[in-house]
Amino acid sequence: MKTLLLAFTALSGLALATGSASAQIKVGFVTSLSGPGASIGTLYDQGMKAAYAYKSKVGDEDIDLIQLDDGSDPSTATQDARKLIEQEHVDILIGTATAPSTNAMMAVANELHVPFIAVSPVNVQPPATGRLWGVAMPQTPALMVKVIADKMKADGIKTAGYIGFSDAWGDLVYNGAKAAEADGDPTITTNERYARTDTSVTAQALKVLTTKPDAVLIGGSATQAALPIIQLHKLGYKGPFYGTPAMLNADFVRVGGKDVEGVEVSAGPVIVTSQLPDDHFSKTIGTQFHEVFQKVNGKDANDGFSGYSFDGWLVFLNAAEKALKTAKPGTPEFREALLDGIYDTKDLAGVHSIYNFTPKSAYGVDARSLVVVKLEEGKWVYQP
């Protein structure tokens, strides 16, 4: 586990150094730079680099960004969160790349009363006592699935087989699909699961095929989301595939190749910024995001994950401006004020959504935060 201190200056643009910070506002960022979640975690990392380059001060206060790798492991994510709070004395936490590790960080934030901005899709549950100390940036899994389920219905799909991860993310997608089914969307015929580290899903794919579904809904993410699609094609399946923003990843496209051509997924609008109409809420800020991302990462952002880091940073900046009016960084009062500022977020336009948080809702998004895109010749194409 390596601690990285991200420090940017106006002249150099981006520099990385280890050590403690000297500025007053401290942000602890955790992502997965190793382990099975690394293909997504590196995207969150790149998004955070862009966010820091976009703005690294609040008023006259510099921001120190301290980053840790959780190795895609929930227990390490817990340790990272505690280290950032108890040793680095951060004012706020942001992270991480997988749902199980994000839930682990949320538990620490609730226990130690430090604001937490989740950048991975999770099912946020209020604690048994006290207030919830975190919010989730991504569109809710239920909304992600509902939007694509509605598209399936519009495409004439009556039944859909389901195959997804055997973890919290797989549960969230399946539960969302069943909720959509109850609302009149396609009937889900299977509930097949596989681990993120599995190399074969033949048995699961065969069970999906036995139900003869009109389509297949994938509840995986990144590279591993391609595995069941490839296997189903090998077994002769000819129908369409659908999925969620978790599949908006260059490695998914690379590994899946021609097998994943034509897959349709719900997506944050940032994935097709240049294809959006000029009056879309995400057009201006999304364009700025792509420009700064290109500058600091040397390539364009062709995923949805990096945008969650960027939007999380926007929410933090907005809350910090308010918090600095009443408290000083490094104090419990500032942490409390930051949380209040986050929950007071109103109509904040990001690259994914227009955000509105309240103490009763840890999700600040609505249906405006999603579009449908289709993979055509290796590119995601906006489906109006």
Side-chain angles (χ1 to χ4, degrees), residues 26 117 124 132 281 304 324 375:
K26 285 190 173 185
I117 296 177
V124 180
L132 179 66
F281 73 83
L324 284 171
L375 191 62

Side-chain angles (χ1 to χ4, degrees), residues 232-278:
L232 281 162
H233 274 150
K234 287 181 178 179
L235 294 172
Y237 176 73
K238 303 295 184 182
F241 291 92
Y242 295 85
T244 72
M247 296 158 70
L248 295 168
N249 178 280
D251 283 340
F252 168 78
V253 178
R254 176 183 59 81
V255 172
K258 64 180 182 180
D259 283 311
V260 298
E261 278 288 310
V263 65
E264 292 188 71
V265 305
S266 55
V270 66
I271 198 70
V272 287
T273 298
S274 64
Q275 302 173 41
L276 296 173
D278 290 341

Side-chain angles (χ1 to χ4, degrees), residues 36-124:
S39 63
I40 294 176
T42 54
L43 300 177
Y44 287 121
D45 170 62
Q46 292 164 4
M48 186 57 72
K49 286 183 172 69
Y52 202 98
Y54 175 75
K55 190 171 184 181
S56 59
K57 297 183 69 172
V58 180
D60 295 329
E61 300 291 346
D62 291 329
I63 305 169
D64 284 339
L65 179 60
I66 305 170
Q67 180 173 324
L68 297 178
D69 173 20
D70 65 15
S72 309
D73 178 60
S75 62
T76 303
T78 298
Q79 295 169 12
D80 286 351
R82 290 189 178 279
K83 179 177 181 179
L84 287 166
I85 295 170
E86 297 172 347
Q87 297 182 28
E88 300 291 350
H89 307 292
V90 299
D91 296 297
I92 188 170
L93 293 169
I94 302 176
T96 179
T98 66
S101 293
T102 302
N103 285 329
M105 289 188 67
M106 184 72 78
V108 176
N110 284 330
E111 176 190 346
L112 300 182
H113 295 176
V114 175
F116 175 52
I117 296 177
V119 294
S120 178
V122 289
N123 185 12
V124 180

Side-chain angles (χ1 to χ4, degrees), residues 21-35:
S22 58
Q24 292 188 16
I25 302 178
K26 285 190 173 185
V27 178
F29 175 56
V30 178
T31 189
S32 301
L33 298 178
S34 58

Side-chain angles (χ1 to χ4, degrees), residues 120-266:
S120 178
V122 289
N123 185 12
V124 180
Q125 296 293 337
T129 58
R131 66 190 306 198
L132 179 66
W133 279 80
V135 297
M137 297 307 303
Q139 302 87 346
T140 64
L143 185 59
M144 291 177 179
V145 179
K146 176 60 177 172
V147 168
I148 201 62
D150 288 348
K151 181 60 165 60
M152 293 165 68
K153 182 179 180 180
D155 289 344
I157 303 300
K158 302 295 184 182
T159 61
Y162 176 73
I163 179 170
F165 285 156
S166 54
D167 61 19
W169 177 241
D171 293 342
L172 291 171
V173 178
Y174 177 74
N175 292 339
K178 293 299 288 184
E181 174 188 313
D183 195 39
D185 283 324
T187 300
I188 304 302
T189 63
T190 60
N191 183 13
E192 293 301 314
R193 303 302 186 93
Y194 65 106
R196 291 175 185 258
T197 54
D198 283 350
T199 58
S200 174
V201 291
T202 302
Q204 298 95 318
L206 285 170
K207 290 180 181 178
V208 171
L209 289 178
T210 60
T211 66
K212 299 180 179 180
D214 296 332
V216 175
L217 175 65
I218 303 297
S221 66
T223 308
Q224 285 298 86
L227 182 61
I229 299 177
I230 294 171
Q231 186 61 61
L232 281 162
H233 274 150
K234 287 181 178 179
L235 294 172
Y237 176 73
K238 303 295 184 182
F241 291 92
Y242 295 85
T244 72
M247 296 158 70
L248 295 168
N249 178 280
D251 283 340
F252 168 78
V253 178
R254 176 183 59 81
V255 172
K258 64 180 182 180
D259 283 311
V260 298
E261 278 288 310
V263 65
E264 292 188 71
V265 305
S266 55

